[in-house]
Amino acid sequence: MSQYKLVTYQSPQGPRAGLVVDETVFDLAAATGRAAYVSMLDVLRDWDDAKGLLHDAATGAAKKAQGRPLSSTKLLPPVPTPAGIFCAGANFTDHMMEMAKVQNIAPEPDPHEVGLKPWHFIKLMHCLAAPDSTVQLPAYSKMVDWEAELTAVIGHPARDVSLERALDYVAGYTLANDLSARDFTKRPHVSDTSPFKFDWLSQKCFEDACPVGPWIVPADNIPDPQNVAIKLWVNDVIKQDSHTSKMIFTLAEQISHLSTRVTLQPGDLILTGTPAGVGLARKEFLKAGDVVKVWVDGVGTLTNTCA
């Protein structure tokens, strides 16, 4: 397991890539001796070489660089400008059962059994919100919901990759909260059979709709992304308590499929789906002052306050 984390932090000169070792943030370019490693995308685009440099820096070289305390450093989304944010929809068995009950419909069959592939929607870069930041709930919605998600960060261009090699393209993992305006899932006064019924922009792509962070842990910290616990709390009350073994499509299946549609790029984020325990099933929704915490074993905790 690698003893470091990767962050993007706010410096007097602007956003910089950072290396976290023992609660201290080191400028990543200074710690590795690579002046070109200014942004996280610079690092991820050179991932094969960067991995060795990061290991060396974390085990000694970083201590020669001047660091700053993590506790007083402002962190930004780990990848502030990803080319793509791909979000798996309806991808946990317990969440599928939960949503079928809410809608009073029969649960869908296993998509594998009926020949379906992984299904994703896209969030936009301006949806990103930093760890420990205040998230502005959209004024038009009264039903903003939480969704804890293990998130993979791509480290190599991936096109038409095999299932067996798919995880080789993951540089590391972070956390996300896929916020959703549930009262804007469907457009009113439009037929349920219309292809224009769904309002993905209003539901999923409002400002601050995708808190991400606080850091990236290297992929070797999570040897099996289908074998980690995932939880979410609102005001210290647990709402989601599940396990990635309940994913319908594994991360490897998601990467392999996505790579047949687009070339995944270094820094792309793949939100792998959320488990049961969302607000819609509880008829509870986020309000100003709520503090939301997402936790994944081996990755850490992402905290945001709503306003």
Side-chain angles (χ1 to χ4, degrees), residues 91 112 118 120 150 152 154 158 160-170 173 223-226 244 247-260 264 270 272:
N91 196 48
H112 297 91
H120 294 80
L150 171 67
I154 296 298
D160 293 325
V161 303
S162 69
L163 194 61
E164 294 73 26
R165 288 203 56 218
L167 295 183
D168 295 344
Y169 292 82
V170 177
Y173 295 93
D224 182 3
Q226 307 312 135
T244 59
M247 280 189 204
I248 296 170
F249 291 105
T250 66
L251 173 59
E253 288 177 298
Q254 293 181 48
I255 291 171
S256 180
H257 175 69
L258 283 167
S259 75
T260 68
L264 296 172
I270 300 178
T272 56

Side-chain angles (χ1 to χ4, degrees), residues 54-108:
L54 292 167
H55 174 76
D56 291 346
T59 54
K63 294 176 175 58
K64 300 175 184 176
Q66 185 174 0
R68 63 192 73 206
L70 176 62
S71 59
S72 58
T73 300
K74 181 180 179 181
L75 299 184
L76 303 174
V79 186
T81 56
I85 304 172
F86 302 94
C87 308
N91 196 48
F92 273 69
T93 54
D94 55 357
H95 182 49
M96 287 281 284
M97 297 293 289
E98 170 183 69
M99 296 305 279
K101 185 176 180 180
V102 167
Q103 299 173 66
N104 196 29
I105 59 174
E108 298 280 346

Side-chain angles (χ1 to χ4, degrees), residues 51-300:
K51 281 190 294 185
L53 294 169
L54 292 167
H55 174 76
D56 291 346
T59 54
K63 294 176 175 58
K64 300 175 184 176
Q66 185 174 0
R68 63 192 73 206
L70 176 62
S71 59
S72 58
T73 300
K74 181 180 179 181
L75 299 184
L76 303 174
V79 186
T81 56
I85 304 172
F86 302 94
C87 308
N91 196 48
F92 273 69
T93 54
D94 55 357
H95 182 49
M96 287 281 284
M97 297 293 289
E98 170 183 69
M99 296 305 279
K101 185 176 180 180
V102 167
Q103 299 173 66
N104 196 29
I105 59 174
E108 298 280 346
D110 184 332
H112 297 91
E113 295 177 0
V114 292
L116 292 176
K117 299 293 186 182
W119 178 80
H120 294 80
F121 57 91
I122 293 172
K123 287 205 168 193
L124 304 177
M125 190 169 63
H126 68 246
C127 297
L128 294 178
D132 297 313
S133 68
T134 298
V135 168
Q136 298 292 331
L137 300 175
Y140 59 78
S141 175
K142 305 299 181 190
M143 296 171 62
V144 178
D145 205 345
W146 56 80
E147 295 187 25
E149 310 221 6
L150 171 67
T151 298
V153 183
I154 296 298
H156 300 93
R159 180 69 177 172
D160 293 325
V161 303
S162 69
L163 194 61
E164 294 73 26
R165 288 203 56 218
L167 295 183
D168 295 344
Y169 292 82
V170 177
Y173 295 93
T174 187
L175 307 173
N177 186 357
D178 171 25
L179 297 177
S180 306
R182 299 292 191 192
D183 43 351
F184 282 82
T185 301
K186 297 178 180 180
R187 298 166 68 207
H189 317 303
V190 178
S191 167
D192 284 347
T193 60
S194 170
F196 308 110
K197 180 66 176 178
F198 292 91
D199 186 356
W200 289 102
L201 186 70
S202 297
Q203 182 192 187
K204 292 288 191 178
C205 289
F206 50 88
E207 297 281 346
D208 292 348
C210 194
V212 176
W215 44 59
I216 299 167
V217 299
D220 60 8
N221 283 39
I222 308 289
D224 182 3
Q226 307 312 135
N227 188 32
V228 288
I230 180 170
K231 299 182 182 183
L232 179 144
W233 296 260
V234 179
N235 301 326
D236 293 324
V237 177
I238 196 158
K239 303 294 184 180
Q240 293 182 283
D241 186 356
S242 192
H243 198 270
T244 59
S245 60
K246 295 182 180 180
M247 280 189 204
I248 296 170
F249 291 105
T250 66
L251 173 59
E253 288 177 298
Q254 293 181 48
I255 291 171
S256 180
H257 175 69
L258 283 167
S259 75
T260 68
R261 302 304 193 253
V262 297
T263 302
L264 296 172
Q265 298 294 334
D268 281 356
L269 304 177
I270 300 178
L271 281 63
T272 56
T274 200
V278 298
L280 183 62
R282 303 167 177 270
K283 295 181 171 59
E284 299 174 13
F285 300 99
L286 294 171
K287 61 187 183 301
D290 284 346
V291 177
V292 185
K293 291 191 293 186
V294 177
W295 172 86
V296 171
D297 191 20
V299 182

